[in-house]
Amino acid sequence: MSAPNINLKNLEFDQIKNELVTYLKSQSEFTDYNFEGSALSTIIDLLTYNTFYQIFFQNILINEMFLDTAQKLESIISHAKVQGYVVPGKTSSTAKLEFTNNGDTGTPTIPKYKKFRGIKNNSEVKLFYNIEDVSVVEGETVEFTVYEAKRFVNKAPITLDVTNQSVFIPEIDVDFRTLQVFVDEDEYKVVTSVEPNVLNEAKLCYLERRSNGYDVRFSGIVSSDGTEYDSSTLDGESITVTYAVPSGSLGNEVSAFNFVSDAPTGTLNTISPSSRGANAPSLESLKFAIPRTFSSQSRIVTEDDVNLFLLNNNYATNAVTIKVSETETGVVEVVGIEEEEEQAIEELNARSIVGIRFVVGAADGS
């Protein structure tokens, strides 16, 4: 018996049904059958439904297997993990403040995680926190950065999964810059697999995105039966985490700041209003960023590396306006930085290859 001539281009329900009927009519066993009869028509409908569902399911399955065609965030997270990219949620808006010690004869300290009240022009209030201690000698002025957070988690205890050597943070919107992990009060550096020079750090943990939060994985190894540990395995230690849960772009454009409580003696001024707060990236922007982040390996080598770095870190929002050009040997001008030019250039230079220095270029290209 020869194989039936199947038209694989017919993928709609009615087309599939017609193909089935045409095939059955071509068989001598069904020459005199009434294919519009209720019983046989129902059987053909069932076959058609089954075929249609299988086509639809297989199409979705194949699409999710590739980064370019994936439509589910869970699939993109899985693809990103293979390439050492951690899919972010919202990013905190940051502001630069300065504090002047006007008369305290000691060296007052603004402790880390101090809460600041920020007020936008429309009178909306946002809360900000500093993540490092700030010490100010009498008569001096110190600059520091504060991070917006609708909720700030400060050294919250978290349960260790000994077998997997990991802890789970049940938050999608965690600003990576504010994430701190402590094991028995020792801080571990949080990195991704493409972070440069990770082997130079003795205490590391790795961040992995899940659909409903983040896994923080430690480097310890446990045997399959759970009885043998290596020297770096954690078991019974106290683990705490600190991080900001940001409002994203809603935290931008805050210009007036004050201490919420226990203000030290001195003057608090705003150097630059809050900016660079961003919402979670779209699926399309993730598809653009993931392979390019992997190819650059956190280094700044090519023009694409510069573009991606500025976009990923919210120093720019439009790749079209970013221009990179070499003006003289070893000096590269960058145009199109929209936020915190000096800091952006400083970070570019920290990641550049030997012999290359980035500078801010003139907007008119002159």
Side-chain angles (χ1 to χ4, degrees), residues 3-9 19:
N5 184 18
I6 301 175
N7 188 349
L8 297 178
K9 294 182 179 180
E19 283 292 319

Side-chain angles (χ1 to χ4, degrees), residues 40-51:
L40 192 54
S41 178
T42 300
I43 293 174
I44 293 175
D45 282 344
L46 288 174
L47 291 172
T48 305
Y49 275 121
N50 181 69
T51 304

Side-chain angles (χ1 to χ4, degrees), residues 201-336:
E201 300 287 343
K203 296 179 179 179
L204 301 174
C205 56
Y206 298 86
L207 197 62
E208 288 186 357
R209 174 69 186 269
R210 284 167 53 177
S211 60
N212 57 343
Y214 294 89
D215 275 328
V216 179
R217 294 187 176 274
F218 300 92
S219 57
I221 299 174
V222 180
S223 63
S224 58
D225 60 4
T227 60
E228 298 180 10
Y229 302 163
D230 74 351
S231 59
S232 61
T233 301
L234 302 179
D235 182 22
E237 288 83 354
S238 172
I239 300 177
T240 57
V241 292
T242 296
Y243 56 87
V245 181
S247 303
S249 60
L250 295 177
N252 293 335
E253 300 179 354
V254 176
S255 56
F257 292 87
N258 54 63
F259 292 95
V260 172
S261 62
D262 301 327
T265 303
T267 304
L268 183 68
N269 293 315
T270 303
I271 297 176
S272 59
S274 64
S275 61
R276 296 178 61 206
N279 297 326
S282 66
L283 298 185
E284 291 305 315
S285 62
L286 288 173
K287 293 176 184 180
F288 173 82
I290 291 169
R292 288 164 177 81
T293 300
F294 177 77
S295 64
S296 69
Q297 297 288 293
S298 295
R299 298 181 294 268
I300 306 296
V301 180
T302 67
E303 183 175 347
D304 280 346
D305 295 341
V306 175
N307 292 348
L308 185 66
F309 174 81
L310 296 177
L311 294 171
N312 274 353
N313 292 278
N314 304 316
Y315 289 119
T317 57
N318 188 352
V320 176
T321 62
I322 301 173
K323 306 296 180 185
V324 181
S325 59
E326 186 174 15
T327 57
E328 57 183 276
T329 303
V331 179
V332 178
E333 286 192 349
V334 182
V335 176

